[in-house]
Each structure stands twice: as C-alpha cells, then as structure tokens.
Amino acid sequence: MRKKIVAGNWKMNKTFEEAEELITEIADGLDEMDLNGHGVILCPPALYIEMATDVAEESLFEVGAQNVYPADSGAFTGEISPLMLKKLNVGYCIVGHSERRKYFQEDALFLKQKVDALLRNGVIPIFCCGETLPEREAGNHFRIVEDQLIASLFHLDAADFSKIIIAYEPVWAIGTGVNATKEQAQEMHAFIRERISGKYGVAIAQDLTILYGGSCNAKNAAELFSQPDVDGGLIGGASLKTEEFLQIVASL
Ligand code: 13P
C-alpha cells in the first residue's frame, strides 16, 4: 500500500550504547509527534536489531535490517537469514544498496534471490536502485535504473510485487552532500512508476511507495517529499542525529 515513509539506514555506525541512546531519543521524539499514518523505519546494524525491536514494541517506528542472506538457514558463516529477521519482528530489509553492489560485488541475480527469500518469509524488501555519475552524464540513467528493476524485481508476480518498497538512490548523491534536485528526483520516480505501470498495471504502480535517498537532510527533505511521486526518504548520515532525523520525519 502506498504510504509516506522515512527510513533511516544507519549503515555501519554507532557503538551499542550510542545506538541505544539514539533509538531511545528517536522513540521519545516520535511519541511527541503526530505521524498522521506515515511510517518510520529504523535500520540499525544487525547486532542491535533485538534491542531496536524491543524499543519498537512500545514506539511508533518499525525495524528494518540492512542486509540478509537468501537462505532460511545453513552453513553460511557470518550471515543472517530472513527467517531469523522475521522471528525478531523485523518487517523490512534493504536490498541492492549501491554500497553492497560495489563493495560486496552483489549482482542482480543475488539481489533477486534476496528479494524472493525475504518475501517468502514475510519481510518487505526496500529495493534500492540508482545510477552512477558517469552513467547519468552519458544519459544512461533511465536505462540503468530500468535494468536494475527488470533484473531483480520483474520476475515477481503482481501479489508479491505490490508488497515491496523501492528506493531511488543516485550513487552520486549518497554521502556526498549533493542531493538530486526535486526535479531530478521527481523525473526518475515518475519514470519508475511509469515502467511499473507498464509491467504490472496502473493500480499497482500508483500503490507503490518510492523513496528518495542520497544526501537527504532536514533542509531539503520537505522540498523533495513535496514531489508527487516521491513518497518519503531513505536517509543515511542525517538519520544518525536525533533532531535532524525527527525534522525529516516531520517533513513528510
Ligand atoms: P546519505 O543520506 O548519507 O547520503 O546516504 C543515503 C543512503 O545511502 C541511504 O541508504
């Protein structure tokens, strides 16, 4: 169901004590706000997920994971399964983040397997797509994003596809302080929705939540979120500061 959402991707940041403090402060801040049915998802490092789901039980945010291995159990040293996530009340998992594509060589087929394994276990994938700067400068950004969607998502049937969340994260905007303009974000989000409409029909495309990610902060969030096809944000650096993150949530 299309919903406005702010999700925080903490990446590999915070000690346990710091994470506990941040999550408690965010929970307290959310208690004071009227979320109007909008969603807040926090994706801490895996070690802190149980602490986060404990706090979430009494709060207005939900918990997501940053990564998963596409098998329910087995000899995969160091990995975490979608079943483990589900059993800890983790509702979401980021898939296809550009950092995992780049640093861990995760390819489209592997991402497709993760999407399938998550959906099989009732965990919603937050699927990231986005082009690099050279790809945009060469005018290939639409094709790149479309290819990423086709390769890892378009095998899904309509019922499964309608459960997922998409995050458009132009790689050149991630952690750089250079966000996509509201026009660039809207243009790509509208393109994504249009391609999905072509594949799954207008109703499913209109119902899909598409988040923007990449140097989104308290200053630019309201402008980005005001665009008709931008349904909120996937926030990195700015999700690590309580006040800034709460201001972004208030911008929905
Ligand atoms: P920044 O908000 O730090 O640019 O990171 C965005 C991101 O990668 C969220 O997944």
Side-chain angles (χ1 to χ4, degrees):
M1 195 192 68
R2 187 159 172 185
K3 189 175 173 178
K4 292 209 169 232
I5 292 172
V6 165
N9 174 10
W10 289 11
K11 309 192 181 181
M12 195 178 72
N13 289 295
K14 303 287 179 188
T15 64
F16 183 81
E17 286 75 15
E18 291 165 349
E20 208 171 24
E21 190 181 330
L22 177 60
I23 223 155
T24 309
E25 284 176 3
I26 289 173
D28 289 348
L30 293 175
D31 280 348
E32 307 292 310
M33 291 170 68
D34 182 2
L35 287 182
N36 258 324
H38 301 328
V40 177
I41 303 169
L42 300 181
C43 305
L47 271 178
Y48 311 152
I49 278 179
E50 196 178 357
M51 177 274 288
T53 52
D54 279 351
V55 179
E57 267 181 39
E58 305 287 321
S59 182
L60 296 170
F61 70 89
E62 295 175 278
V63 178
Q66 296 178 17
N67 189 30
V68 73
Y69 188 81
D72 290 355
S73 64
F76 303 103
T77 301
E79 295 298 307
I80 291 170
S81 83
L83 180 64
M84 294 172 186
L85 295 177
K86 184 65 185 173
K87 294 288 181 192
L88 280 181
N89 294 324
V90 175
Y92 305 85
C93 181
I94 298 169
V95 177
H97 195 284
S98 62
E99 288 150 14
R100 296 216 60 92
R101 292 179 193 259
K102 179 176 172 194
Y103 301 129
F104 304 96
Q105 291 80 44
E106 295 192 359
D107 63 13
L109 175 62
F110 192 50
L111 302 179
K112 178 181 175 184
Q113 291 167 348
K114 290 188 184 202
V115 167
D116 289 343
L118 287 165
L119 288 170
R120 196 171 60 237
N121 283 281
V123 181
I124 296 173
I126 302 175
F127 183 83
C128 302
C129 55
E131 80 287 355
T132 62
L133 190 57
E135 287 164 347
R136 176 167 278 266
E137 284 174 347
N140 290 333
H141 42 303
F142 294 116
R143 189 177 55 75
I144 293 291
V145 168
E146 181 176 15
D147 285 352
Q148 290 170 342
L149 299 177
I150 291 173
S152 300
L153 295 181
F154 275 18
H155 64 290
L156 295 173
D157 64 22
D160 270 344
F161 189 88
S162 60
K163 293 176 191 145
I164 67 167
I165 293 171
I166 288 182
Y168 169 56
E169 298 210 318
V171 181
W172 47 270
I174 295 176
T176 59
V178 182
N179 59 286
T181 63
K182 63 181 194 307
E183 291 83 8
Q184 287 171 323
Q186 168 56 26
E187 182 182 42
M188 184 59 87
H189 285 226
F191 171 78
I192 291 170
R193 213 180 288 286
E194 189 257 314
R195 301 314 294 163
I196 287 160
S197 180
K199 169 77 179 166
Y200 291 101
V202 182
I204 287 182
Q206 282 306 321
D207 230 29
L208 179 77
T209 297
I210 309 178
L211 307 179
Y212 168 77
S215 297
C216 186
N217 56 38
K219 288 202 182 73
N220 58 30
E223 184 172 78
L224 287 159
F225 299 170
S226 70
Q227 299 304 297
D229 286 296
V230 178
D231 303 312
L234 179 54
I235 318 298
S239 73
L240 300 170
K241 298 172 219 149
T242 307
E243 282 315 313
E244 174 128 27
F245 185 69
L246 291 172
Q247 276 181 48
I248 296 171
V249 173
S251 306
L252 280 173

